[in-house]
Amino acid sequence: MNSKKRPRRLRGTETLRNMVRETRMDKASLIYPMFVVEGKGIRREIPSMPGQYHYSLDMLPAALEEVAKSGVSSVMLFGIPEKKDELGSSAWVEDGIIQRALEAGKKAVPELYYITDVCMCEYTSHGHCGALCGRHVDNDRTLPLLAKTALSHVRAGADMVAPSDMMDGRVEAIRQILDENGYLETPIMSYAVKYASAFYGPFREAADSAPAFGDRKTYQMDYHNAKEGIKEALLDVEEGADLVMVKPALSYLDVIRRVSEQVCVPVAAYSVSGEYAMIKAAAMKGWIDEASVVCEAATSVYRAGAGVLLTYYAKELARFMEEGRIG
Ligand code: PBG
């Protein structure tokens, strides 16, 4: 071979490979999702998500401490209420599950950054992400419900709110109510580009939030579309989103890439429950090496253009980054 160009030269040693890495990651960019339930003494493993748990409020502080100790600095809280109704009214009550979780969490582990998922589907009796009009999810009637839920989270101590419902105009509605109440500094991370995805299956079991009829295709996006994702992201930025998210992550790396090239705000990606479950299941069968696959999959999301990653593997990834295995 005569060529002077030998790409292998830069792969010769680990030191050199680490020097010339194109993708750099930091544990500061990881967000760990957690599920909070009513009751006492509950730390119950979620069947389709081995290694992930439902926590009652008394068990939450220990779990949060473990997160902080792992080097992850931020959590995303999901609440599963005792009572559900048509409108999802336990989402915005002062003594709601998320509101009390924030109070308990911030008191016990104040060094963590608390983000809350703002949506109605865990709180409505029909499992849809908004108020119904017949069998249709009524966009405009849902907006004030989302806005007051977000406000109640922030009042209870949320550092950031993350609407995941996919109603049009919700970022604007939330920004407005937060500003009117003096919460000018509280950022909104919008689940801007959220697809109607079968990868949410395990989450819906965990959050008891599967729709009682129909599906979410009239509000979540059609997975055939990528340009539409850019439209959604740009709209949310215009409405005041401080970060935009693409979700799921692995099957949407092209969308992460395109969105990250179009917006000037940080782009987050959510590696969802089904992605976690697939890796976990194959690992438990001994078919793949879990740690290696987790590292490779997470790196691909950053390489695609995400700067922030929500993942059920956050604690493990923080360790891998610390060890220099990735990042
Ligand atoms: C609530 C919500 C969902 C997820 C995050 N927020 C479920 C859904 O839209 O059905 C999915 C997260 C995951 O699968 O890990 N709307």
Side-chain angles (χ1 to χ4, degrees):
M1 174 169 149
N2 268 332
S3 174
K4 290 192 180 79
K5 293 182 180 145
R6 290 179 178 271
R8 287 187 56 187
R9 237 181 251 132
L10 286 180
R11 299 179 201 141
T13 70
E14 194 178 346
T15 307
L16 184 55
R17 286 194 297 275
N18 293 352
M19 180 197 296
V20 299
R21 269 177 184 169
E22 293 177 41
T23 306
R24 298 278 176 195
M25 294 160 271
D26 192 281
K27 57 186 180 350
S29 66
L30 294 167
I31 300 172
Y32 182 58
M34 299 176 79
F35 300 95
V36 191
V37 295
E38 297 283 359
K40 270 212 168 75
I42 299 171
R43 180 183 179 272
R44 190 173 51 226
E45 193 167 45
I46 299 162
S48 52
M49 303 174 74
Q52 305 304 314
Y53 297 84
H54 283 137
Y55 297 101
S56 55
L57 293 177
D58 54 328
M59 304 297 272
L60 187 63
L64 291 167
E65 257 153 43
E66 198 188 306
V67 176
K69 239 198 268 148
S70 77
V72 173
S73 51
S74 178
V75 292
M76 166 83 95
L77 297 181
F78 293 96
I80 300 133
E82 205 147 52
K83 276 189 267 145
K84 304 186 187 232
D85 60 26
E86 268 292 300
L87 284 182
S89 59
S90 51
W92 58 80
V93 291
E94 233 173 86
D95 61 347
I97 182 72
I98 282 293
Q99 290 79 357
R100 280 179 295 135
L102 284 163
E103 198 178 63
K106 292 212 98 173
K107 202 158 119 203
V109 193
E111 63 270 30
L112 281 175
Y113 190 84
Y114 291 84
I115 308 172
T116 57
D117 181 89
V118 176
C119 193
M120 310 314 296
C121 65
E122 297 100 327
Y123 301 90
T124 51
S125 44
H126 44 76
H128 278 290
C129 300
L132 295 183
C133 180
R135 287 169 74 85
H136 183 68
V137 177
D138 188 329
N139 192 89
D140 295 13
R141 248 183 88 209
T142 303
L143 297 181
L145 310 183
L146 292 163
K148 61 181 172 184
T149 301
L151 177 61
S152 80
H153 289 182
V154 175
R155 280 195 173 132
D159 297 305
M160 180 191 282
V161 287
S164 69
D165 51 282
M166 286 300 277
M167 298 303 119
D168 294 331
R170 92 282 205 189
V171 173
E172 186 173 31
I174 291 172
R175 186 70 272 159
Q176 192 183 333
I177 202 170
L178 293 184
D179 288 356
E180 282 166 4
N181 285 274
Y183 297 108
L184 303 165
E185 308 290 336
T186 305
I188 299 173
M189 172 164 62
S190 162
Y191 285 70
V193 190
K194 178 173 176 180
Y195 287 87
S197 170
F199 286 100
Y200 309 151
F203 173 95
R204 289 182 189 168
E205 185 198 333
D208 186 26
S209 68
F213 63 88
D215 51 40
R216 304 212 201 287
K217 288 182 183 164
T218 67
Y219 40 105
Q220 297 180 351
M221 284 176 54
D222 180 347
Y223 57 68
H224 297 83
N225 301 346
K227 256 196 302 200
E228 190 189 359
I230 298 169
K231 176 170 84 178
E232 283 282 7
L234 291 174
L235 267 174
D236 282 8
V237 170
E238 227 171 274
E239 288 181 31
D242 301 283
L243 297 86
V244 292
M245 187 203 295
V246 176
K247 175 184 173 207
L250 270 195
S251 295
Y252 299 87
L253 296 177
D254 58 322
V255 179
I256 295 172
R257 162 60 46 205
R258 289 171 73 166
V259 167
S260 69
E261 283 168 358
Q262 295 285 333
V263 298
C264 295
V265 299
V267 174
Y270 195 147
S271 183
V272 300
S273 56
E275 299 176 40
Y276 175 84
M278 286 195 302
I279 295 178
K280 204 59 166 180
M284 284 168 80
K285 281 196 167 272
W287 291 347
I288 56 170
D289 176 56
E290 185 175 20
S292 304
V293 169
V294 167
C295 286
E296 189 175 335
T299 303
S300 74
V301 178
Y302 288 98
R303 194 184 63 231
V308 175
L309 177 61
L310 294 102
T311 169
Y312 301 97
Y313 277 118
K315 289 184 282 184
E316 290 81 355
L317 280 165
R319 194 176 75 238
F320 299 145
M321 289 176 185
E322 203 126 285
E323 291 168 358
R325 186 166 175 156
I326 51 167

